[in-house]
Amino acid sequence: MAAQTANGLRNFLQPLTHLVVTTLNQQRLRTSTPLDYIQLMLPAQMPALPERRNLIQARLMGAAPLSLVDLERIFRRIADDPRPKGVILMLRGFAMTLADLQTLRDSIRRLRERGKRVICYAHSYDMAMYYVASAADEIWMQPGGSLITTGLVMQQTYLREALDTIGLEIDPVAITPYKSAVDMFARSTPSPEVEAMMNWLLDSRYEMMVDGIAQGRNLEQSAVHHMIDAAPYTDDEALANGFVNALLNEEGFYAHLNTTHISLWEDADKVVPLRVPPTGNRYVAVMHLTGNIVEGESGAPPVDIPIPFVGGERMGDLTVTRLVRNLMHDDHAAALVLFIDSGGGSAAASEAMASALEELAKTRPIVVYMHSVAASGGYYIATPADWIVAQPGTITGSIGVISAKLVNTDALRKLKFNPYTYLRGENASMFTPIEPFTEQQRAKMVQQIERIYQQFVQRVADARKLKPAQVDAIGGGRVWTGKQALENGLVDELGGFYEALAKARELAKLPDDAPAALIQGKGKPMPAQLADQMNPAAALQYWQQNLHDLLRGQALMLMPFDVH
């Protein structure tokens, strides 16, 4: 079974391994069309890893989107072709996390290090676009455009008063005020601890962007601060201040570059050859663990909605532990890279996954790559790893536990429903929406979450070779950026997926070009998937299940906010 899985997935190796690209033979070079620059449009959203779509899915949803790994593969093919002098990246806005933007900047940096010129072009630039473009050799802008590098904004919404108007109440129990996953429902304003935490996160993220722009544009940090504070700029002002290198329309590319040979990537792709590297017996397994952690099977909503903790994918312990146990029987899987994108969820499910991974770690190295967010339960499942890599802007930490339940009795009465309850047992109502926790019940809940928190702290202490008191000092629900996490000893290295892959090869004593394979579950049969996607009731059922998992009074290892 495991061997079949590995063999079947090796067709997926192209974007996940250090590709060996065939150099064009001399005869092809003499007869091929000149290719000075390749023009490539970057979409606003790029998933971290490639998405696989079969023929039916492609007909219904279109071709799979360009992923960050796909883009890295394209850049490597361009770097290994001697003809192109460089690439022109067409930007139309980004709706990606800071970690995604840093991954994109890393790919641009590697292409430049291979001797290719990188130019970014856009009609206008906002903060995210300019941060990415600053990694390029040159920044071009369309005449009439604007430079809108006005800084960063983070906003939290608190719903306590809105819920009061309809008679709903959230009753939370948290290990400390920093563990604030349900504060948006339980409070009207942030606690002092949460306000301090949000400020240190925003400070760290802001300085990362300032540093990146300063290094890329060869500016002092003070100059970048001034640039941001004085923004926005007209096109003429941006050019006069040296914030962009040229103002020109697309028709002016040829004259500005003194070339007649610019090809779109879609055309260049037909003439840049690709050879899949010969595969050996041993490979690096890659598992993409994404979404809210739940007890049960992994899944994705038929229709996604941007509701915190309710919409989005879910990572089930049954699915993950089954995949991990299959790997235990696959002798060809020499190492495992866990690609984590999760703000956590169920404490019980997190423990089940960590336990299975801990067993696997006895037989082969595990390297974790934390992408946009790997916090709370997402950090918990990383503890069995031998090495942890995170982007500087990754959101991580949140070592802590919280519990909450929804109380709906007043809401029912406002709707003229009159509930009347019969109980047997002092704590029979403890996990029901009938009433808030009593003092006795709250004491029991505190005891439960303190026990789980001790277990969490001990896991981290053992994994990071720290004392429990040291973990507690940076835990208690506190959230950190990847850069801060490195300073606090929670990660080992700042970098991206390819750095994690290289470390896994190193630890497993594999060659640099050893293949990697994405390990995925079988998923639902196709007819059922299609039926779910077309059925609005399926989406409602999915969201209701997520809400039930969140507010049923069970212990949670959950991030206090979504990452955008």
Side-chain angles (χ1 to χ4, degrees), residues 429-457:
S429 64
M430 186 167 181
F431 298 109
T432 70
I434 296 171
E435 59 185 2
F437 294 119
T438 66
E439 288 305 312
Q440 179 186 5
Q441 290 169 351
R442 183 171 293 275
K444 287 284 187 182
M445 289 304 304
V446 170
Q447 182 182 12
Q448 292 289 319
I449 66 171
E450 285 181 346
R451 170 66 187 98
I452 296 171
Y453 179 63
Q454 290 171 3
Q455 182 173 294
F456 197 164
V457 167

Side-chain angles (χ1 to χ4, degrees), residues 10-330:
R10 286 198 173 98
N11 292 329
F12 189 73
L13 299 181
Q14 296 179 6
L16 291 177
T17 186
H18 290 289
L19 299 175
V20 179
V21 181
T22 306
T23 303
L24 294 175
N25 58 48
Q26 294 302 314
Q27 179 63 32
R28 177 99 182 240
L29 283 172
R30 285 194 296 270
T31 59
S32 64
T33 302
L35 186 63
D36 288 340
Y37 287 89
I38 294 175
Q39 185 173 316
L40 176 64
M41 176 70 73
L42 297 187
Q45 291 181 300
M46 286 182 276
L49 294 179
E51 295 180 5
R52 304 182 68 187
R53 291 182 180 174
N54 59 34
L55 182 60
I56 297 176
Q57 290 173 318
R59 289 294 296 272
L60 288 174
M61 299 181 287
L66 179 74
S67 71
L68 291 168
V69 167
D70 291 328
L71 185 65
E72 175 74 15
R73 180 192 62 157
I74 290 170
F75 282 179
R76 291 188 180 194
R77 293 172 67 177
I78 293 171
D80 281 313
D81 190 311
R83 293 171 299 163
K85 298 176 183 176
V87 298
I88 304 171
L89 301 179
M90 311 295 287
L91 312 184
R92 290 296 180 95
F94 291 119
M96 299 191 292
T97 66
L98 179 56
D100 285 325
L101 299 179
Q102 290 171 335
T103 298
L104 178 52
R105 282 175 55 92
D106 288 343
S107 291
I108 292 173
R109 172 183 53 79
R110 284 188 285 266
L111 183 59
R112 291 181 63 189
E113 288 173 351
R114 296 288 301 276
K116 301 299 183 182
R117 184 182 181 189
V118 180
I119 299 163
C120 285
Y121 178 81
H123 294 168
S124 293
Y125 288 90
D126 62 16
M127 193 72 178
M129 293 169 68
Y130 195 77
Y131 176 61
V132 170
S134 66
D137 292 278
E138 294 188 35
I139 300 175
W140 297 351
M141 187 164 69
Q142 180 175 278
S146 299
L147 187 64
I148 316 172
T149 52
T150 52
L152 301 181
V153 175
M154 293 177 69
Q155 187 176 57
Q156 294 175 301
T157 301
Y158 290 86
L159 305 176
R160 171 64 184 269
E161 293 177 12
L163 294 180
D164 284 346
T165 63
I166 57 174
L168 289 178
E169 178 183 354
I170 302 296
D171 192 11
V173 183
I175 194 69
T176 75
Y178 291 102
K179 195 63 180 177
S180 52
V182 296
D183 275 15
M184 66 178 295
F185 303 109
R187 295 180 60 93
S188 301
T189 58
S191 67
E193 292 83 0
V194 168
E195 187 173 358
M197 181 170 68
M198 297 306 293
N199 276 309
W200 80 51
L201 287 172
L202 191 58
D203 285 343
S204 181
R205 291 161 70 88
Y206 181 70
E207 289 307 318
M208 285 177 211
M209 299 188 82
V210 169
D211 289 346
I213 293 170
Q215 293 174 15
R217 300 298 295 172
N218 195 26
L219 297 169
E220 296 292 332
Q221 288 190 359
S222 58
V224 178
H225 282 290
H226 177 73
M227 178 196 77
I228 293 170
D229 291 338
Y233 301 90
T234 65
D235 56 345
D236 290 335
E237 289 175 326
L239 182 64
N241 283 283
F243 301 145
V244 300
N245 299 96
L247 299 177
L248 65 161
N249 291 302
E250 292 184 43
E251 289 74 17
F253 287 1
Y254 294 92
H256 194 81
L257 292 171
N258 192 26
T259 182
T260 58
H261 305 298
I262 300 176
S263 296
L264 298 178
W265 169 253
E266 290 79 4
D267 299 326
D269 191 30
K270 299 173 184 176
V271 297
V272 180
L274 174 69
R275 177 172 62 86
V276 179
T279 58
N281 289 329
R282 302 177 75 215
Y283 71 99
V284 177
V286 178
M287 289 179 61
H288 189 197
L289 303 183
T290 183
N292 294 328
I293 296 174
V294 300
E295 296 179 61
E297 297 286 355
S298 300
V303 180
D304 199 3
I305 56 171
I307 297 180
F309 315 126
V310 177
E313 295 182 69
R314 59 190 183 208
M315 183 201 318
D317 62 328
L318 293 181
T319 302
V320 173
T321 55
R322 184 166 58 243
L323 292 175
V324 172
R325 288 165 187 163
N326 285 337
L327 278 178
M328 292 180 192
H329 297 285
D330 185 357

Side-chain angles (χ1 to χ4, degrees), residues 325-342:
R325 288 165 187 163
N326 285 337
L327 278 178
M328 292 180 192
H329 297 285
D330 185 357
D331 294 333
H332 298 296
L336 173 64
V337 172
L338 291 178
F339 191 117
I340 300 178
D341 250 324
S342 174

